[in-house]
Coordinates of all heavy atoms in Angstrom, one line a residue:
S1 N 17.7 7.0 -3.5 CA 17.5 8.4 -3.3 C 16.3 8.7 -2.3 O 15.5 7.8 -2.1 CB 17.2 9.1 -4.6 OG 16.0 8.7 -5.1
A2 N 16.2 9.9 -1.9 CA 15.1 10.3 -1.1 C 13.7 10.1 -1.9 O 12.7 9.8 -1.4 CB 15.2 11.7 -0.6
Q3 N 13.9 10.3 -3.2 CA 12.7 10.1 -4.1 C 12.3 8.7 -4.1 O 11.1 8.4 -4.1 CB 13.1 10.6 -5.5 CG 11.9 10.4 -6.5 CD 12.3 10.8 -7.9 OE1 13.2 11.5 -8.1 NE2 11.4 10.5 -8.9
T4 N 13.2 7.7 -4.2 CA 12.8 6.3 -4.1 C 12.2 6.0 -2.8 O 11.2 5.3 -2.7 CB 14.1 5.4 -4.4 OG1 14.6 5.8 -5.6 CG2 13.7 4.0 -4.4
T5 N 12.8 6.5 -1.7 CA 12.2 6.2 -0.4 C 10.8 6.8 -0.3 O 9.8 6.1 0.2 CB 13.0 6.8 0.7 OG1 14.3 6.2 0.7 CG2 12.5 6.6 2.1
A6 N 10.5 7.9 -0.8 CA 9.2 8.6 -0.8 C 8.3 7.8 -1.7 O 7.1 7.5 -1.3 CB 9.3 10.0 -1.3
E7 N 8.7 7.3 -2.8 CA 7.9 6.5 -3.7 C 7.5 5.1 -3.0 O 6.3 4.8 -3.0 CB 8.6 6.2 -5.0 CG 7.7 5.4 -6.0 CD 8.5 5.2 -7.3 OE1 9.7 5.4 -7.4 OE2 7.8 4.6 -8.2
L8 N 8.4 4.5 -2.3 CA 8.1 3.3 -1.6 C 7.1 3.5 -0.5 O 6.2 2.7 -0.3 CB 9.4 2.6 -1.1 CG 10.4 2.0 -2.0 CD1 11.7 1.7 -1.3 CD2 9.8 0.7 -2.6
T9 N 7.3 4.6 0.2 CA 6.4 5.0 1.3 C 5.0 5.2 0.9 O 4.0 4.7 1.4 CB 7.0 6.2 2.0 OG1 8.3 5.9 2.5 CG2 6.1 6.6 3.2
V10 N 4.9 6.0 -0.2 CA 3.5 6.3 -0.8 C 2.9 5.0 -1.3 O 1.7 4.7 -1.0 CB 3.6 7.3 -1.9 CG1 2.3 7.4 -2.7 CG2 3.9 8.7 -1.2
W11 N 3.6 4.2 -2.0 CA 3.1 2.9 -2.6 C 2.6 2.0 -1.5 O 1.5 1.5 -1.5 CB 4.2 2.2 -3.4 CG 3.8 0.9 -3.9 CD1 3.0 0.6 -5.1 CD2 4.0 -0.4 -3.3 NE1 2.8 -0.7 -5.2 CE2 3.4 -1.4 -4.1 CE3 4.7 -0.8 -2.2 CZ2 3.4 -2.7 -3.9 CZ3 4.7 -2.2 -1.9 CH2 4.1 -3.1 -2.7
F12 N 3.4 1.9 -0.4 CA 3.1 1.0 0.6 C 1.9 1.4 1.5 O 0.9 0.7 1.7 CB 4.3 0.6 1.5 CG 4.0 -0.5 2.5 CD1 4.2 -1.8 2.1 CD2 3.6 -0.3 3.7 CE1 3.9 -2.9 2.9 CE2 3.2 -1.3 4.6 CZ 3.5 -2.6 4.2
F13 N 2.0 2.7 2.0 CA 1.1 3.1 3.0 C -0.2 3.8 2.5 O -1.2 3.8 3.1 CB 1.8 4.0 4.0 CG 2.8 3.4 4.9 CD1 4.1 3.5 4.6 CD2 2.4 2.5 5.9 CE1 5.1 2.8 5.3 CE2 3.4 1.9 6.6 CZ 4.7 2.0 6.3
D14 N -0.1 4.4 1.3 CA -1.2 5.1 0.7 C -1.9 4.2 -0.3 O -3.1 4.5 -0.7 CB -0.8 6.4 0.0 CG -0.2 7.4 1.1 OD1 -0.5 7.2 2.3 OD2 0.4 8.4 0.6
D15 N -1.3 3.2 -0.9 CA -1.9 2.4 -1.9 C -2.1 0.9 -1.4 O -3.2 0.4 -1.2 CB -1.0 2.4 -3.2 CG -1.7 1.8 -4.4 OD1 -2.8 1.5 -4.3 OD2 -1.0 1.7 -5.4
Y16 N -1.0 0.2 -1.2 CA -1.0 -1.2 -0.8 C -1.9 -1.5 0.5 O -2.7 -2.3 0.4 CB 0.4 -1.8 -0.7 CG 0.4 -3.1 0.0 CD1 0.0 -4.3 -0.7 CD2 0.8 -3.3 1.3 CE1 0.0 -5.5 -0.1 CE2 0.8 -4.5 1.9 CZ 0.4 -5.6 1.2 OH 0.4 -6.8 1.8
L17 N -1.5 -0.8 1.5 CA -2.1 -1.1 2.8 C -3.7 -0.9 2.8 O -4.4 -1.8 3.2 CB -1.5 -0.4 4.0 CG -1.9 -0.9 5.4 CD1 -1.8 -2.4 5.6 CD2 -1.1 -0.1 6.4
P18 N -4.1 0.3 2.3 CA -5.5 0.4 2.2 C -6.2 -0.6 1.2 O -7.3 -1.1 1.6 CB -5.8 1.9 1.7 CG -4.5 2.5 2.0 CD -3.4 1.5 2.0
A19 N -5.6 -0.9 0.2 CA -6.1 -1.9 -0.7 C -6.2 -3.3 -0.1 O -7.2 -4.0 -0.3 CB -5.3 -2.0 -2.0
W20 N -5.2 -3.7 0.7 CA -5.2 -4.9 1.4 C -6.3 -5.0 2.4 O -7.1 -6.0 2.5 CB -3.8 -5.1 2.1 CG -3.6 -6.5 2.6 CD1 -2.9 -7.5 1.9 CD2 -4.1 -7.1 3.8 NE1 -2.9 -8.6 2.7 CE2 -3.6 -8.4 3.8 CE3 -4.9 -6.7 4.8 CZ2 -3.9 -9.3 4.8 CZ3 -5.2 -7.6 5.9 CH2 -4.7 -8.9 5.8
T21 N -6.5 -3.9 3.2 CA -7.6 -3.9 4.2 C -8.9 -4.0 3.5 O -9.8 -4.8 3.9 CB -7.5 -2.6 5.0 OG1 -6.2 -2.6 5.7 CG2 -8.6 -2.5 6.0
A22 N -9.2 -3.2 2.5 CA -10.4 -3.3 1.8 C -10.7 -4.7 1.2 O -11.8 -5.2 1.3 CB -10.5 -2.3 0.6
A23 N -9.7 -5.3 0.6 CA -9.8 -6.6 0.1 C -10.1 -7.7 1.2 O -10.9 -8.6 1.0 CB -8.6 -7.0 -0.7
A24 N -9.5 -7.5 2.3 CA -9.7 -8.5 3.5 C -11.2 -8.3 3.9 O -11.8 -9.4 4.2 CB -8.8 -8.1 4.6
L25 N -11.7 -7.1 4.0 CA -13.1 -6.9 4.4 C -14.1 -7.5 3.5 O -15.2 -7.9 3.8 CB -13.3 -5.4 4.7 CG -12.5 -4.9 5.9 CD1 -12.7 -3.4 5.9 CD2 -12.9 -5.5 7.2
R26 N -13.8 -7.5 2.2 CA -14.8 -8.0 1.2 C -14.4 -9.4 0.6 O -15.0 -9.9 -0.3 CB -15.0 -7.1 0.1 CG -13.8 -6.8 -0.9 CD -14.2 -5.9 -2.0 NE -13.1 -5.7 -2.9 CZ -12.1 -4.9 -2.8 NH1 -12.0 -4.1 -1.8 NH2 -11.1 -4.9 -3.6
D27 N -13.3 -10.0 1.2 CA -12.8 -11.3 0.8 C -12.5 -11.4 -0.7 O -13.1 -12.2 -1.5 CB -13.8 -12.4 1.2 CG -13.3 -13.8 1.0 OD1 -12.0 -14.0 1.0 OD2 -14.1 -14.8 0.9
D28 N -11.6 -10.6 -1.1 CA -11.2 -10.5 -2.5 C -9.7 -10.6 -2.7 O -9.0 -9.6 -2.8 CB -11.7 -9.1 -3.1 CG -11.3 -9.0 -4.5 OD1 -10.9 -10.0 -5.2 OD2 -11.2 -7.8 -4.9

């Protein structure tokens, strides 16, 4: 559904990617 697509989008771009970048910068 559009809801699942929206959920995947938010999870990836608003949660995962910023967390990955922050972890890379602090080596975590």
Side-chain angles (χ1 to χ4, degrees):
S1 67
Q3 179 180 347
T4 304
T5 300
E7 184 180 6
L8 290 167
T9 301
V10 167
W11 176 84
F12 190 87
F13 294 103
D14 296 347
D15 191 8
Y16 167 74
L17 189 55
W20 194 98
T21 299
L25 293 172
R26 69 178 183 273
D27 190 21
D28 178 19

